[in-house]
């Protein structure tokens, strides 16, 4: 991944397409230089001659925090381009890498020039692997630097996103491209199924229509001996369970997958979820009571992030004193990929289960222990609890934070909800459709050749659905790109379809209805504390906000945030 003054250039793999395929959009052909130095004139001239716009960010590169803030401010300006190539010199190189990791939707690629420690990413938190194509150049000669950068960007320019052969050439299965409705719309217009090139992942096909998705995911040839699911534990070393999907997922035996889903689904019924509503209401009120009302606060950190973890803790009977421990595991330790062992969590859950054997309790662990009796497999219940927690915290956070942000951007929709609290039920369904917390569904293995709308998919490939495409399919939804909390017919697929349908759907709906409904009732005048265009998102398997700055009870005499 490095290049010396006289050496060949190594880069993160970039799939080159044929010369007859389209290159990058003109709007993406922007290079922002951070830490500009003497000698960059040649590079700028070379790039300009090849149709690239070059901008220089007047950002001090010496201090990591100041540099990161400067890049953020530069790209938050109204006239800034939507997506750029970041070129960082010296200490600005690893800072550019970190910005790309936090905001992959804004960065096409990163170039680090003469940046010591960039591969170890010394200045900030580790970036396990760049979220976009990256080049590291070590070259004192400006000519060698210019040559390396121009060659690298030429490779990007040859990378086609969509071609007339219905192929999607993307750097990975889940980054910004599959979160973006406008890209998905282009894919859907080209056809209902597209092949994805993703390094380290088996050949994968993406479905891009509602009808195609429901028909294909119901096909029994997608239910085999193994299942790909959330990474709630380490990947097995068993060759029969070889994992061919992304790092944040694992492959498990299909029979085990069925057992775990049965354990959760049999006891987490809609009736039991309804009985939990008063407890969820108390937790929502307690969180909102603790937030200052007349000043800017991060609603993500203070409300949307802790609430799903608290709900899961309450569901499983985790004592209040241990909630911080579970929060630290789910929100911090579980971010690492591939999944780590975290055996302490298993030990903790076993202690809770043992306590339920001696003392029945009104929670999911208590219900299962009492009903299963001597036939209970403790290992299965431990796995099921982890399975539920790992799969059940991030999507509700995303729905709540991104949903509130969407409502506050569309002020008319927020006022409708405030004026008519009964709209909270269809509002949550519309936010599930509009936000689509998981943009891409879990991939399924093809156990036999399958035909999808005239495209033959071989045995052994993976098929995944673009839930964004299904949820914005104009053949199913009128004005699909419009947020309408009164939408009467809303067959969204945000909870998946078929045998991977989300087991926690009723729980997620209930907590969203309570949280958003309570927010609208208690703080009808809540405002975004900054321009909606300045909100930043992280995009992986889930597209989620990094912050949600709001004022719950704004001073009516001050001007609201522009566009809020």
């Amino acid at each position: 991944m490095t290049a010396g003054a006289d050496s060949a250039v190594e880069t993160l793999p970039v799939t080159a397409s044929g010369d007859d395929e389209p290159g990058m959009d003109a709007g993406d052909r922007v290079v922002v230089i951070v830490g500009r130095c003497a000698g960059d004139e040649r590079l700028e001239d070379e790039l300009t001659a090849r149709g690239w716009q070059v901008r220089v960010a007047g950002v001090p590169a010496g201090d990591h925090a100041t540099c990161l803030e400067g890049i953020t401010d530069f790209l938050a300006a109204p006239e800034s381009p939507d997506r750029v190539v970041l070129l960082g010199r010296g200490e600005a190189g690893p800072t550019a890498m970190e910005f790309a990791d936090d905001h992959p939707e804004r960065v096409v690629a990163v170039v680090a020039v003469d940046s010591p420690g960039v591969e170890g990413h010394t200045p900030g938190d580790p970036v396990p692997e760049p979220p976009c194509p990256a080049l590291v150049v070590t070259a004192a000669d400006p000519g060698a630097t210019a040559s390396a950068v121009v060659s690298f960007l030429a490779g990007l320019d040859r990378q086609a996103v969509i071609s007339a052969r219905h192929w999607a050439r993307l750097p990975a299965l889940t980054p910004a491209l599959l979160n973006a409705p406008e890209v998905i719309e282009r894919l859907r217009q080209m056809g209902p199924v597209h092949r994805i090139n993703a390094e380290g992942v088996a050949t994968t096909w993406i479905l891009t229509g509602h009808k195609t998705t429901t028909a294909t995911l119901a096909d029994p040839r997608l239910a085999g001996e193994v299942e790909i699911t959330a990474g709630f534990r380490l990947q097995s070393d068993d060759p029969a369970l070889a994992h061919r999907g992304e790092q944040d997922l694992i492959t498990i035996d299909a029979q085990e997958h069925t057992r775990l889903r049965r354990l959760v689904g049999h006891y987490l019924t809609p009736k039991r979820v309804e009985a939990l509503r008063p407890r969820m209401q108390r937790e929502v009120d307690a969180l909102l009571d603790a937030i200052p009302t007349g000043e800017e606060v991060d609603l993500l950190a203070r409300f949307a992030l802790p609430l799903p973890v608290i709900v899961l803790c309450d569901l499983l009977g985790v004592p209040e004193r241990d909630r911080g421990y579970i929060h630290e595991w789910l929100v911090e330790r579980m971010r690492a990929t591939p999944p780590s062992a975290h055996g302490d969590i298993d030990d903790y859950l076993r202690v809770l289960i043992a306590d339920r054997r001696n003392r029945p309790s009104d929670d999911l662990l208590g219900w299962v222990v009492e009903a299963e009796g001597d036939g209970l497999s403790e290992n299965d219940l431990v796995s099921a609890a982890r399975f539920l927690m790992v799969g059940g915290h991030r999507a509700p956070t995303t729905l709540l934070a991104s949903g509130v942000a969407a409502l506050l951007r569309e002020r008319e929709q927020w006022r409708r909800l405030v004026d008519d609290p009964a709209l909270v039920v269809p509002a949550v369904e519309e936010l599930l459709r509009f936000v689509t917390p998981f943009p891409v569904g879990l991939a399924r293995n093809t156990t036999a050749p399958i035909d999808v709308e005239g495209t033959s998919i071989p045995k052994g490939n993976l098929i995944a659905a673009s839930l964004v495409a299904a949820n914005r399919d104009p053949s199913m939804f009128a004005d699909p790109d419009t947020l309408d909390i009164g939408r009467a017919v809303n067959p969204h697929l945000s909870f998946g379809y078929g045998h991977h349908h989300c087991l926690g759907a009723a729980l997620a709906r209930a907590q969203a209805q309570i949280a958003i409904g309570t927010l609208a009732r208690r703080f009808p005048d809540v405002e975004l504390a900054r321009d909606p265009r300045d909100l930043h998102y992280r995009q992986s398997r889930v597209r989620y906000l990094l912050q949600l700055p709001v004022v719950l009870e704004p001073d009516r005499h001050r001007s609201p945030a522009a566009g809020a």
Side-chain angles (χ1 to χ4, degrees):
M1 184 158 153
T2 61
D6 300 314
S7 65
V9 177
E10 294 182 32
T11 70
L12 206 68
V14 178
T15 303
S17 60
D19 293 338
D20 59 329
E21 294 181 359
M24 296 174 60
D25 290 340
D28 293 341
R29 294 173 58 84
V30 181
V31 177
V32 173
I33 298 177
V34 184
R36 185 178 185 273
C37 69
D40 277 345
E41 294 86 355
R42 176 170 178 174
L43 173 60
E44 295 170 22
D45 291 343
E46 292 270 7
L47 295 176
T48 302
R50 286 165 173 77
W52 288 83
Q53 298 180 48
V54 179
R55 299 191 184 185
V56 178
V59 174
D63 178 72
H64 166 67
T66 303
C67 182
L68 186 61
E69 183 179 359
I71 295 173
T72 303
D73 290 343
F74 182 86
L75 291 178
E79 69 276 8
S80 68
D82 289 336
R83 304 180 74 230
V84 302
V85 174
L86 279 179
L87 189 152
R89 278 193 172 274
E91 295 181 12
T95 305
M97 291 281 191
E98 183 168 334
F99 180 89
D101 189 58
D102 286 341
H103 307 289
E105 75 283 1
R106 302 298 305 276
V107 182
V108 177
V110 175
V111 178
V113 181
D114 294 328
S115 299
V118 70
E119 294 194 29
H121 192 56
T122 304
D125 294 333
V127 179
E129 57 183 58
C132 59
L135 170 70
V136 178
V137 181
T138 304
D141 177 15
T145 298
S147 177
V149 173
V150 167
S151 177
F152 173 68
L153 296 184
L156 290 179
D157 213 17
R158 290 192 301 270
Q159 180 178 301
V161 175
I162 301 174
S163 79
R165 293 195 299 273
H166 294 189
W167 280 52
R169 298 183 180 273
L170 308 178
L173 182 60
T174 57
L177 287 176
L178 291 181
N179 286 275
E182 63 274 12
V183 173
I184 294 302
E185 172 62 19
R186 291 168 61 191
L187 281 169
R188 186 171 52 237
Q189 290 174 357
M190 296 301 297
V193 60
H194 305 269
R195 182 174 171 177
I196 300 296
N197 290 340
E199 186 179 4
V201 178
T203 301
T204 304
W205 301 79
I206 288 288
L207 309 174
T208 55
H210 193 287
K211 179 181 177 182
T212 302
T213 293
T214 54
T216 304
L217 296 188
D219 194 302
R221 288 170 291 183
L222 296 186
E225 297 178 354
V226 297
E227 293 286 353
I228 294 176
T229 190
F232 64 96
R233 66 174 185 222
L234 287 175
Q235 174 61 45
S236 171
D237 292 331
D238 186 346
L241 301 176
H243 183 56
R244 304 178 305 145
E246 294 168 279
Q247 282 191 314
D248 59 340
L249 306 175
I250 62 171
T251 296
I252 67 174
D253 179 82
Q255 292 184 352
E256 181 188 9
H257 184 255
T258 299
R259 290 200 312 273
L260 299 185
R261 288 181 60 86
R262 183 192 70 82
L263 264 179
V264 175
H266 189 67
Y267 298 101
L268 188 60
T269 62
K271 182 178 179 180
R272 279 196 161 120
V273 169
E274 284 300 307
L276 293 173
R277 277 182 175 265
R279 289 151 65 170
M280 285 190 273
Q281 183 67 63
R282 285 195 297 271
E283 300 296 352
V284 166
D285 284 330
L287 284 173
L288 291 176
D289 287 344
I291 301 176
T293 60
E295 61 189 60
E296 179 178 329
V297 294
D298 181 3
L299 199 66
L300 172 69
R302 302 292 296 268
F303 188 58
L305 194 58
L307 178 62
V309 177
I310 290 171
V311 168
L312 287 169
C313 285
D314 189 60
L315 174 67
L316 294 171
V318 174
E320 187 170 350
R321 65 179 180 274
D322 295 337
R323 287 177 178 178
Y325 169 62
I326 299 298
H327 185 278
E328 183 264 345
W329 172 57
L330 285 173
V331 176
E332 297 180 22
R333 288 198 282 159
M334 280 302 298
R335 290 184 63 184
T337 55
S340 300
H342 302 157
D344 58 304
I345 291 294
D346 287 7
D347 293 339
Y348 178 80
L349 291 170
R350 291 182 194 282
V351 170
L352 291 184
I353 293 169
D355 185 64
R356 301 309 186 272
R357 293 185 190 276
N358 299 322
R359 184 172 50 193
S361 60
D362 187 20
D363 52 59
L364 183 63
L365 295 181
W367 304 333
V368 176
V369 168
E370 181 179 9
E372 297 287 319
D374 294 338
L376 173 67
S377 166
E378 185 175 282
N379 287 338
D380 276 359
L381 184 52
V382 168
S383 292
R386 285 182 63 132
F387 180 72
L388 179 63
M389 287 192 288
V390 170
H393 78 283
R394 182 174 288 178
T397 290
T398 300
L399 174 63
L400 184 52
S402 297
V404 169
L407 287 169
L408 297 183
R409 277 196 303 265
E410 304 291 338
R411 199 71 193 181
E412 179 185 349
Q413 298 299 310
W414 176 255
R415 293 311 313 178
R416 288 179 68 189
L417 180 59
V418 167
D419 294 341
D420 185 0
L423 281 175
V424 71
V425 173
V428 166
E429 296 307 305
E430 176 67 348
L431 291 173
L432 281 163
R433 182 196 72 85
F434 192 78
V435 171
T436 311
F438 279 102
V440 181
L442 293 171
R444 319 280 183 87
N445 289 284
T446 55
T447 62
I450 182 173
D451 181 89
V452 178
E453 302 284 338
T455 297
S456 179
I457 299 178
K459 175 183 178 180
N461 283 197
L462 299 179
I463 295 179
S466 167
L467 302 183
V468 173
N471 285 345
R472 300 211 180 197
D473 189 335
S475 70
M476 293 297 296
F477 303 96
D479 298 320
D481 296 326
T482 298
L483 178 66
D484 176 8
I485 66 169
R487 192 179 294 271
V489 179
N490 202 336
H492 66 78
L493 300 181
S494 291
F495 290 122
Y497 190 82
H499 69 286
H500 269 295
H501 185 269
C502 177
L503 291 170
L507 186 68
R509 282 187 166 104
Q511 65 179 299
Q513 290 166 7
I514 293 169
I516 294 173
T518 302
L519 192 67
R521 172 173 52 81
R522 291 185 55 176
F523 302 106
D525 296 324
V526 60
E527 288 179 350
L528 290 172
R530 63 187 62 168
D531 191 302
R533 292 172 295 181
D534 292 341
L535 298 177
H536 292 298
Y537 292 82
R538 176 74 171 97
Q539 304 191 77
S540 55
R541 285 198 64 81
V542 181
R543 180 180 188 267
Y544 57 93
L545 276 167
L546 296 172
Q547 288 183 315
L548 181 55
V550 303
V551 178
L552 292 179
E553 291 183 340
D555 181 350
R556 294 288 73 190
H557 298 293
R558 72 171 179 83
S559 298

